[in-house]
Amino acid sequence: MKLIDSFGPNPRMVRMFMLEKGIELPIEELDLLGGENRQKPFTDRNPGGQMPALELDDGTVIAETTTMCEYLEEKYPTPAIIGDTAESRAVSRMWVRRIELGITEHIYNGFRYSEGLGLFKDRLYCIPEAADGLKAKGQDQLKWLDDLLGGKDYIQGANVGLADMILYCCLDFAQGVGQPLNPDLKNINTWFARMDSRPSAKSSLHASSGATGMKG
Ligand SMILES: N[C@@H](CCC(=O)N[C@@H](CS)C(=O)NCC(=O)O)C(=O)O
């Protein structure tokens, strides 16, 4: 199995998950900013055209970050991050859906349709007029999460989870592309600093992060 990897907050999230679990895989590197992921031969392997992906030894390609992490957790169950019981896995999946559907997808699309438009206009159907509303929607849901984070170290409680890594990588990226962390969200800011101090946060940054000025 290998990781098909690149710059970007979504690939970074999978790298962070792998670091937290102590998983090392061979890497195939693609040029995301140059659009290699949107061209053949990659789109024959992953028709979704997005990064990252796993290629298994039998040639099966598994994309979609949360699916990749679920697969890695099944193959390398210890230490459990998603969960070692049906109940803990269900709680993790519930939070992952809340974070992705309610927050990160809005923040990412807000970026793609505005600051990222030059990069994305020939790759995706873009809705520039939706950008401000999407960014505001993500921020509104972050306020909801801020209230819930009071007294908790991580989104699910005492232990870092997949939802934390998804949100951290998104917010770290967003801060560099025009969507700063709202200082009024005290619990989110405390949580962010906690995530940022994990060794996996620095180690998961792509080598080109410095040059691009974006955290991915
Ligand atoms: N839903 C996908 C999203 C992946 C995604 O947005 N990847 C970005 C990198 S952060 C990408 O490939 N961007 C370049 C492009 O879309 O051409 C997943 O979870 O894997």
Side-chain angles (χ1 to χ4, degrees):
M1 172 164 50
K2 68 178 167 184
L3 176 66
I4 311 174
D5 197 15
S6 69
F7 167 78
N10 281 282
R12 181 190 184 188
M13 192 284 284
V14 174
R15 292 194 297 272
M16 187 172 187
F17 182 81
M18 287 171 53
L19 284 161
E20 291 279 349
K21 286 182 72 74
I23 300 171
E24 285 184 36
L25 294 176
I27 304 278
E28 177 185 334
E29 185 71 26
L30 258 64
D31 177 9
L32 176 133
L33 295 174
E36 201 178 359
N37 57 299
R38 292 280 174 182
Q39 298 161 25
K40 286 176 176 284
F42 183 66
T43 50
D44 289 334
R45 298 156 83 196
N46 174 17
Q50 288 186 308
M51 296 295 292
L54 289 171
E55 186 171 80
L56 310 190
D57 294 344
D58 70 357
T60 304
V61 174
I62 298 178
E64 297 300 327
T65 47
T66 56
T67 306
M68 294 166 64
C69 292
E70 293 262 357
Y71 178 78
L72 290 172
E73 177 104 345
E74 285 193 39
K75 287 287 175 187
Y76 303 87
T78 314
I81 290 180
I82 294 174
D84 53 8
T85 62
E87 291 73 22
S88 56
R89 287 191 289 274
V91 170
S92 170
R93 289 169 190 145
M94 171 179 76
W95 276 109
V96 163
R97 285 185 68 81
R98 287 174 176 161
I99 297 299
E100 289 198 311
L101 297 177
I103 303 175
T104 59
E105 199 57 22
H106 299 317
I107 290 175
Y108 283 134
N109 281 328
F111 163 72
R112 290 174 183 128
Y113 303 163
S114 56
E115 290 84 358
L117 194 60
L119 188 66
F120 285 99
K121 64 179 171 22
D122 298 325
R123 300 187 184 205
L124 303 171
Y125 182 82
C126 290
I127 317 171
E129 63 277 18
D132 288 347
L134 289 166
K135 291 176 185 177
K137 181 121 183 81
Q139 288 301 318
D140 184 61
Q141 203 67 3
L142 274 176
K143 281 200 197 90
W144 166 82
L145 184 64
D146 192 62
D147 289 340
L148 294 173
L149 268 177
K152 289 202 273 181
D153 282 354
Y154 297 103
I155 292 173
Q156 290 173 225
N159 299 315
V160 71
L162 184 56
D164 295 289
M165 295 178 211
I166 293 169
L167 185 62
Y168 168 75
C169 291
C170 175
L171 295 182
D172 203 27
F173 174 78
Q175 292 191 78
V177 294
Q179 297 184 64
L181 206 48
N182 178 355
D184 296 340
L185 303 180
K186 301 288 181 217
N187 294 326
I188 300 259
N189 277 270
T190 304
W191 164 89
F192 185 88
R194 185 172 294 117
M195 288 299 293
D196 201 48
S197 69
R198 295 184 77 86
S200 63
K202 296 289 168 290
S203 307
S204 58
L205 275 173
H206 193 267
S208 67
S209 271
T212 62
M214 296 184 282
K215 300 276 195 72

